[in-house]
Amino acid sequence: MKKLVLALMLIGFAFLAQAQQKEKGDFQMGIFGGATAPLNKYKSYTNTKIGYHGGLFMDKYFSGNTWGIGVDARYIFNAIAQADSFHFENGYLSTDYLNKSRFQDFMFTIGPSYKFRKNKFQLEAYLRGGIMLQFFPAFVSSITYTDPRGSVITHEIEKTLNDTSNKANSWVGLGGLRFNYMFSANFAAFAHIDYVQSLGTKFGSKPSRFISERLETVDSNPIETKTAVKDYVDHYMVDAKTMEYTVHQTLNTGLGIKYVFGKSQKPERTVENVKYDDIVKPVEQAKDLQIVVKDKQTNIALSGVTVRVTATNFDELSISDANGQASKITDVQPGNYEVVGEKNGIKTAILHLSEEDFKGNSKVIFKEIYHDDPRFTLIGETFDCNVERNLSNINTVLTNSKSKENMSQISDAEGKFIYQLNAQSDFTVVANQQGRYSQTEIVTTKGLDRSKTLYVTLKLGVCDLQNNAEFVLKNILYDFDKSTIRQDAAVVLDNVVSIMQQNPTLKIELSSHTDSRGNDDYNIKLSQRRADAAVAYIVSKGINRNRLEAKGYGETRLVNNCGNGVECSEEQHQENRRTEIKVLAYN
């Protein structure tokens, strides 16, 4: 058997060498999976169950696409039925499993392939030889009983005898059939059936079979025919042992898909009475070229991508629009061209155009290129918070909440700004401009799926600083019944610090408000402590204390009717729990 496997492998290498010289015929690759049924002693010896297998193959066919050479790599798994403990008078039978109760095999084979074709149907036969990496179950079965003198005695009835890891390598043979249906010249689905058997008794210095040592028995079924403990004990000949073994034998059935590289093989058809001169030949001609750019992960049309088309003595540059379309190039002469797009420092794969693309009756060549940036795109707008019209030339700042890395950008003539956001991250966005202020807006990409989402949008309100103007600070939160400044509140107060640094004449009152629940006097005191804590934080960042006033109003300035004794929702109470800034002086 070993010689047969070696012969198959040598034949395979010879075919492969021939294929490299001729470079003819199809090269195909496929993946498969399915059921694995144990056969013969491999099934009955340890009551092996039906399992599963999966893997991949490659075939290289030679001239004529009939004969070729192929390789197969697969994984095979079969569980075994575990034996139950059996109690009898004065004793019991038991089995201890020392590892997982399964056979697990890895196969790597090579050998010849044969293919028969009929229109879209193909029948392939293959014969392979190679090696199998085997992992066996390890167990010990014992009989334990109490003899007439009261002594407890245990005998090992059966135990596995492979090496300490209970694994082995072996030669293996594989033969089978593959039934293909070609959906196109390159893609096919198939069903396969094949037979696998390990070969030989040793691989190197180790046994390549599953082996166990058993006590010899007097009859075949003592548990059902005998009742006394002595009968059970006498059933096993303690001094006589036998070796039992089995090779791997399975029948495998499954489904898969394959892809055929190289020349496309179309169904054979008979054409009669056609002369070469009668065939209409495609003519190369100048055409218009339209490039469309899409996001690779979502397939969404992508704007703002710089698209470059180059060739010898040819170089055209354009920017993709909202529909992902670059400027159409007219009257492009037949030839070889390269097309590449770039945005945010990331380039697309190069698209190659050849003279073949200029054949046919179509007047326009349409091609798509794909941009693959794993980040999300934040599209923001700066707008006047009073009249809600977009504002241009506003400086914005994006901060990564974890790394504290800052980026800034000035909104364009339409009030738009764009940032790239890393996945699974939190960010803050603020306007940073003298004489104006904005809220600290929180943007997150956590929980977003990049394959479904490309854009994140934000409208950033920007207001003028004016005497007696008042605005609520968003995202200022305190722990229950506490006045300490939390990390998320500190981010918002940092924006207040920035506004006061840019406007040195600005003086403000920072006030804290509560809802109506709880004692009125206590709410006044709690809100005052919170206002004092916020002002102290701003002072710690270098702002003069005389530019700040802290005021706690408790529940005296409710913004709705949720006073004492009025039943309101949590959302209505939340409207009253707020932190406000009032401009006391600004020149």
Side-chain angles (χ1 to χ4, degrees):
M1 287 297 184
K2 186 187 299 185
K3 292 181 179 179
L4 175 60
V5 173
L6 289 173
L8 288 172
M9 295 176 69
L10 290 174
I11 292 172
F13 287 125
F15 277 135
L16 188 60
Q18 181 182 2
Q20 291 176 340
Q21 293 176 358
K22 292 187 175 183
E23 291 294 336
K24 293 181 179 180
D26 289 340
F27 174 69
Q28 65 183 25
M29 178 182 296
I31 58 175
F32 57 85
T36 296
L39 301 175
N40 302 326
K41 192 175 180 181
Y42 183 62
K43 176 181 179 181
S44 60
Y45 181 18
T46 56
N47 197 9
T48 309
K49 300 178 181 179
I50 293 177
Y52 57 87
H53 71 282
L56 57 88
F57 68 87
M58 292 183 290
D59 292 292
K60 171 59 183 169
Y61 283 95
F62 312 133
S63 179
N65 276 320
T66 300
W67 289 97
I69 180 69
V71 295
D72 185 290
R74 68 175 63 184
Y75 169 77
I76 301 177
F77 180 96
N78 290 98
I80 66 171
Q82 295 190 1
D84 295 329
S85 296
F86 179 79
H87 290 265
F88 53 86
E89 182 184 357
N90 297 331
Y92 59 89
L93 297 172
S94 64
T95 301
D96 293 326
Y97 291 88
L98 309 179
N99 64 1
K100 296 181 179 179
S101 54
R102 85 288 181 264
F103 290 96
Q104 182 176 255
D105 308 289
F106 297 88
M107 279 179 50
F108 305 92
T109 57
I110 185 172
S113 301
Y114 172 80
K115 177 163 60 178
F116 172 78
R117 304 185 306 277
K118 185 66 174 179
N119 296 326
K120 291 186 176 182
F121 295 93
Q122 293 182 355
L123 172 65
E124 292 179 281
Y126 48 90
L127 185 64
R128 308 276 191 261
I131 62 171
M132 174 184 282
L133 313 180
Q134 303 179 89
F135 296 83
F136 301 134
F139 57 84
V140 177
S141 296
S142 305
I143 181 171
T144 301
Y145 65 93
T146 304
D147 66 10
R149 293 173 295 178
S151 300
V152 177
I153 300 174
T154 299
H155 290 305
E156 292 183 348
I157 299 172
E158 182 181 3
K159 64 179 180 179
T160 54
L161 293 180
N162 293 88
D163 66 11
T164 55
S165 64
N166 230 46
K167 65 181 181 180
N169 302 331
S170 70
W171 299 106
V172 69
L174 164 68
L177 297 172
R178 193 181 300 130
F179 305 90
N180 304 271
Y181 179 79
M182 303 297 297
F183 291 104
S184 67
N186 300 102
F187 284 99
F190 64 83
H192 77 270
I193 182 170
D194 52 41
Y195 172 76
V196 174
Q197 179 175 334
S198 60
L199 307 172
T201 60
K202 283 191 175 183
F203 188 96
S205 61
K206 294 182 179 181
S208 58
R209 306 164 298 174
F210 176 64
I211 305 172
S212 71
E213 183 180 74
R214 291 183 175 182
L215 295 182
E216 292 188 4
T217 58
V218 176
D219 56 66
S220 61
N221 200 356
I223 294 177
E224 294 183 1
T225 60
K226 300 186 182 298
T227 59
V229 62
K230 183 177 184 303
D231 291 331
Y232 282 110
V233 176
D234 291 344
H235 168 74
Y236 296 102
M237 301 173 63
V238 176
D239 295 330
K241 298 180 178 179
T242 60
M243 304 288 287
E244 293 283 350
Y245 70 88
T246 179
V247 297
H248 178 108
Q249 287 181 292
T250 53
L251 184 67
N252 305 277
T253 58
L255 303 173
I257 57 174
K258 74 175 184 180
Y259 182 80
V260 180
F261 299 86
K263 294 182 179 180
S264 301
Q265 299 297 321
K266 297 182 179 179
E268 299 176 355
R269 292 182 295 179
T270 302
V271 180
E272 299 179 355
N273 301 324
V274 177
K275 297 180 180 180
Y276 179 77
D277 292 339
D278 295 334
I279 300 175
V280 178
K281 305 174 185 63
V283 178
E284 298 174 2
Q285 55 183 321
K287 295 178 180 290
D288 296 343
L289 176 60
Q290 178 64 72
I291 302 297
V292 177
V293 189
K294 292 185 176 181
D295 176 61
K296 184 175 182 180
Q297 298 195 43
T298 61
N299 208 40
I300 295 175
L302 199 59
S303 63
V305 180
T306 301
V307 178
R308 188 166 203 150
V309 183
T310 58
T312 304
N313 300 323
F314 187 92
D315 193 350
E316 289 284 341
L317 204 65
S318 61
I319 307 294
S320 62
D321 60 18
N323 297 316
Q325 295 182 349
S327 298
K328 182 185 290 186
I329 306 174
T330 59
D331 295 327
V332 180
Q333 297 300 315
N336 297 313
Y337 296 82
E338 288 187 353
V339 182
V340 66
E342 182 176 358
K343 183 177 183 179
N344 301 323
I346 296 178
K347 293 184 178 181
T348 67
I350 297 176
L351 171 67
H352 294 276
L353 298 177
S354 67
E355 294 182 353
E356 289 294 321
D357 293 293
F358 291 84
K359 295 179 180 179
N361 297 325
S362 174
K363 298 297 183 182
V364 181
I365 301 174
F366 288 95
K367 293 292 183 179
E368 293 180 345
I369 57 177
Y370 292 89
H371 188 258
D372 192 10
D373 186 343
R375 298 172 295 180
F376 296 85
T377 299
L378 169 65
I379 299 180
E381 295 180 1
T382 52
F383 71 96
D384 190 307
C385 62
N386 293 317
V387 297
E388 294 197 4
R389 61 178 175 82
N390 281 11
L391 294 174
S392 62
N393 299 316
I394 301 297
N395 186 59
T396 64
V397 179
L398 175 80
T399 304
N400 187 301
S401 299
K402 183 177 181 180
S403 66
K404 305 304 179 184
E405 179 182 359
N406 292 326
M407 291 179 285
S408 63
Q409 191 177 130
I410 297 176
S411 59
D412 62 17
E414 297 179 349
K416 293 184 177 181
F417 58 92
I418 297 176
Y419 290 103
Q420 301 304 123
L421 309 179
N422 294 327
Q424 299 300 312
S425 301
D426 293 322
F427 303 87
T428 60
V429 183
V430 296
N432 186 1
Q433 193 143 332
Q434 186 175 6
R436 301 177 186 272
Y437 71 87
S438 77
Q439 298 286 353
T440 301
E441 300 291 350
I442 295 175
V443 178
T444 183
T445 58
K446 291 181 178 178
L448 297 181
D449 185 346
R450 181 61 180 82
S451 66
K452 299 177 181 178
T453 302
L454 171 60
Y455 296 112
V456 179
T457 60
L458 172 69
K459 291 183 73 69
L460 184 63
V462 181
C463 301
D464 292 328
L465 288 173
Q466 298 175 350
N467 287 329
N468 298 316
E470 295 182 4
F471 55 93
V472 177
L473 288 181
K474 294 172 60 176
N475 304 311
I476 288 282
L477 301 174
Y478 296 88
D479 292 327
F480 177 72
D481 201 30
K482 293 183 179 179
S483 58
T484 52
I485 301 300
R486 294 182 1 177
Q487 183 60 39
D488 49 2
V491 174
V492 179
L493 293 177
D494 285 339
N495 182 36
V496 177
V497 172
S498 178
I499 293 172
M500 299 197 74
Q501 288 172 339
Q502 292 178 356
N503 302 276
T505 63
L506 176 64
K507 293 183 179 181
I508 65 172
E509 174 191 273
L510 193 150
S511 60
S512 178
H513 303 261
T514 68
D515 60 36
S516 62
R517 294 176 294 184
N519 182 273
D520 294 359
D521 291 337
Y522 180 78
N523 284 340
I524 288 287
K525 294 176 181 178
L526 176 61
S527 62
Q528 185 64 49
R529 291 199 305 269
R530 288 178 172 176
D532 289 336
V535 167
Y537 179 86
I538 296 173
V539 171
S540 71
K541 297 297 183 179
I543 302 301
N544 196 310
R545 181 66 178 80
N546 61 19
R547 297 174 61 192
L548 301 155
E549 290 186 13
K551 183 66 175 177
Y553 288 97
E555 58 185 87
T556 62
R557 293 189 176 184
L558 302 177
V559 296
N560 52 34
N561 295 322
C562 294
N564 291 333
V566 179
E567 185 176 348
C568 292
S569 66
E570 180 59 33
E571 289 76 11
Q572 290 172 311
H573 284 305
Q574 178 63 51
E575 293 176 5
N576 292 314
R577 297 195 303 270
R578 65 197 188 280
T579 299
E580 292 184 348
I581 286 182
K582 178 179 180 181
V583 178
L584 299 177
Y586 181 68
N587 298 323

